[in-house]
């Protein structure tokens, strides 16, 4: 387990969201400490994606606030949050198909304004960390799904990244592919000090990575705590299975 400080990196404060007459989130409250890996889970339609979009700045909450690194960012645009150190992936991989793997990473790393030599070093470092060195001159359409997901995360973490939001970044992978990427994500957290929030439906992945779980159901936070406790919570079991847990 990583070392977790007491200073919140993210604070979600009484966040609500509705689309017309549909209430998607209802007064959601939780925080994430520096160095933590938090799993955000819940059945389909629970509000996870909407909450991710609000944290990232693509959507505005109907009520409530988002604080990043102690700063109220509720009115900030996504690119402003990025400058503070918020980085993320998307369910649909967003790579530049006309660029090589190395250049996809270079474009993101160039946001820091590094000189060419330092930029080359930063790109090389990420290629090594994500085990993409042999694929550096390939374009995304020449890669496997697992490799494209690695490039997506490498690009997200290029430049300044203090809080990484992973949106189903391990879905669709084989067991061995997932295990390999889990190891890289752990290194981002433990060796580079990046705090991580992940939305993921593959529960073995969640259990392998998350130190704490937050569970949404119909837009309401219904449980929060250690993974071993949360997955045995009768309320959580009922939300996932649609029936009461047996004693």
């Amino acid at each position: 387990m990583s070392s977790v400080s007491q200073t919140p990196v993210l604070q979600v404060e009484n966040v609500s969201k509705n689309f017309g007459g549909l209430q998607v989130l209802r007064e959601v409250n939780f925080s994430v400490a520096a160095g933590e890996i938090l799993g955000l889970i819940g059945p389909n339609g629970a509000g996870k994606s909407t909450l991710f979009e609000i944290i990232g700045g693509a959507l505005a909450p109907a009520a409530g606030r988002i604080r990043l690194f102690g700063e109220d960012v509720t009115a900030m645009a996504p690119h402003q949050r990025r400058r503070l150190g918020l980085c993320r992936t998307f369910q649909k991989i967003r790579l530049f198909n006309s660029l090589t793997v190395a250049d996809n990473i270079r474009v993101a790393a160039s946001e820091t304004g590094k000189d060419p030599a330092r930029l080359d070093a930063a790109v090389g470092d990420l290629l090594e960390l994500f085990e993409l060195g042999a694929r550096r001159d390939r374009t995304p359409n020449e890669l496997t799904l697992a490799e494209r997901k690695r490039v997506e995360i490498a690009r997200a973490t290029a430049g300044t990244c203090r809080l990484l939001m992973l949106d189903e970044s391990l879905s669709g992978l084989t067991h061995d592919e997932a295990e390999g990427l889990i190891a890289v994500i752990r290194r981002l957290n433990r060796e580079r000090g990046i705090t991580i929030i992940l939305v993921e439906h593959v529960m073995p992945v969640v259990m392998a990575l998350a130190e704490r779980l937050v569970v949404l159901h119909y837009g309401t936070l219904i449980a929060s705590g250690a993974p071993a406790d949360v997955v045995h919570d009768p309320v959580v079991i009922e939300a996932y299975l649609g029936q009461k847990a047996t004693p």
Side-chain angles (χ1 to χ4, degrees), residues 17-26 62 218:
K17 181 67 177 178
N18 59 281
F19 296 106
L22 178 64
Q23 184 97 38
V24 181
L25 295 170
R26 297 173 178 83
Y218 290 123

Side-chain angles (χ1 to χ4, degrees), residues 72-87:
D72 187 342
V73 300
T74 310
M76 279 190 184
H79 71 274
Q80 294 173 305
R81 302 183 196 205
R82 169 73 186 189
R83 291 195 191 106
L84 291 177
L86 175 66
C87 52

Side-chain angles (χ1 to χ4, degrees), residues 60 83 98 107 192:
R83 291 195 191 106
S98 61
V107 167
R192 310 209 170 191

Side-chain angles (χ1 to χ4, degrees), residues 1-8 32-37 189 195 211-212:
M1 181 180 292
S2 62
S3 175
V4 178
S5 79
Q6 298 302 311
T7 303
V32 184
E36 188 174 17
I37 302 180
N189 174 249
T195 305
E211 301 165 357
R212 184 165 61 95

